[in-house]
Amino acid sequence: MPRSKRSQLVHLTQTTKRSTRDHKSAYIQQVRDAIDAHDQLYVFTYENMRSTMLKDIRMHFRDKDSRILLGKNKLLQIALGKTPEDEYGDNLRHVSKWIKGSVGLLFTTASNDVESYFQNYSKPDFARAGFTAPRDVIVTNEMLFNHPTSMLEQQFKKLGLPVEIDNGKIVLMNDKKQYRLCKAGEELSPEKCKLLTHFGVQLSDFKVRLVCRWSSDGGFESLE
């Protein structure tokens, strides 16, 4: 019978305070308990996840005997193991290799639903700095009329929008009727992203990508 990998001593040599060490040990045990309680483990990657979107994903899997863990990549790797000698279950060392950057773990028994859900999951989102605009965005005076004069005129100017006050309303300078805030193919600056958010313009789509799957029988598959 092969040696059991379930009972292993975890050394946290970088920890100096006992409370921190206890917290890390508890988190590692939390991950391992989730492994024991579920049939499948998925690693997913994302960029700039907002709390509302994470809530959507958690709510979807809440009644499907599933659990999601995010962050603490080094502790996740320790919990799973990185070599054949210290991995918590067969082939979990391969999962550890995918834990880098912005990733999360989904522990579940709803394997038939997971891949189709993430494949179709997409939510409109506000662009972040560095995003490439997919289309032109035009600002008109009508769009500016909805903003309070006293609060936003100076803020708009600081963000690079050429505006002034006319008859108590914010309007474009020099009697312009419209202003191109960005053009298709342009890399957006932080200032332009803030302006797009002000006007409620969502240019990007938030998506979550599955990168690998592990099963309790030791099976491992890359989904890239």
Side-chain angles (χ1 to χ4, degrees):
M1 179 179 297
R3 177 177 61 86
S4 172
K5 299 183 179 181
R6 298 299 184 189
S7 298
Q8 298 180 3
L9 179 63
V10 176
H11 297 284
L12 300 173
T13 56
Q14 302 300 319
T15 303
T16 57
K17 295 183 180 180
R18 181 175 181 83
S19 60
T20 302
R21 182 170 63 248
D22 291 344
H23 176 75
K24 290 182 177 181
S25 296
Y27 185 77
I28 290 171
Q29 189 58 50
Q30 184 181 8
V31 175
R32 292 181 169 179
D33 288 344
I35 293 173
D36 292 337
H38 299 89
D39 298 329
Q40 305 280 338
L41 165 59
Y42 288 86
V43 178
F44 60 87
T45 183
Y46 58 89
E47 291 184 9
N48 302 317
M49 181 179 288
R50 302 181 191 273
S51 58
T52 54
M53 297 170 181
L54 175 58
K55 183 178 179 180
D56 287 343
I57 297 173
R58 289 190 188 278
M59 288 295 292
H60 179 82
F61 289 102
R62 184 179 63 176
D63 298 326
K64 301 179 184 295
D65 190 19
S66 303
R67 183 169 188 180
I68 292 175
L69 293 176
L70 298 178
K72 302 181 180 179
N73 287 359
K74 290 184 179 180
L75 292 183
L76 291 174
Q77 289 179 327
I78 292 174
L80 300 179
K82 295 184 285 186
T83 68
E85 292 75 28
D86 67 13
E87 62 183 6
Y88 187 61
D90 291 334
N91 291 319
L92 278 174
R93 67 186 185 278
H94 299 303
V95 178
S96 288
K97 295 177 182 178
W98 289 98
I99 300 178
K100 53 188 176 181
S102 298
V103 299
L105 301 186
L106 170 62
F107 305 88
T108 184
T109 56
S111 57
N112 293 331
D113 176 54
V114 172
E115 293 181 36
S116 61
Y117 173 78
F118 283 106
Q119 184 177 5
N120 296 308
Y121 184 86
S122 179
K123 296 288 185 180
D125 195 11
F126 292 107
R128 306 292 182 101
F131 181 77
T132 301
R135 60 179 175 85
D136 290 8
V137 175
I138 304 298
V139 175
T140 65
N141 283 323
E142 288 73 18
M143 295 168 65
L144 292 168
F145 291 162
N146 298 323
H147 294 81
T149 303
S150 60
M151 295 177 59
L152 291 177
E153 182 216 0
Q154 291 300 319
Q155 187 173 350
F156 280 157
K157 287 183 176 179
K158 289 179 180 179
L159 293 175
L161 190 63
V163 296
E164 60 185 0
I165 296 178
D166 182 35
N167 292 325
K169 293 183 178 180
I170 301 178
V171 297
L172 293 169
M173 296 180 66
N174 302 322
D175 295 323
K176 289 185 177 180
K177 302 299 182 182
Q178 61 182 32
Y179 173 80
R180 186 170 66 179
L181 180 55
C182 66
K183 60 182 179 180
E186 175 184 352
E187 184 176 303
L188 298 176
S189 66
E191 292 78 15
K192 290 193 175 183
C193 289
K194 290 180 180 179
L195 286 170
L196 289 169
T197 301
H198 272 300
F199 295 114
V201 179
Q202 296 177 309
L203 293 182
S204 66
D205 291 311
F206 174 78
K207 296 182 179 181
V208 176
R209 191 176 81 253
L210 295 176
V211 296
C212 70
R213 177 181 64 230
W214 177 87
S215 56
S216 57
D217 61 3
F220 173 81
E221 180 182 5
S222 171
L223 300 177
E224 286 285 82

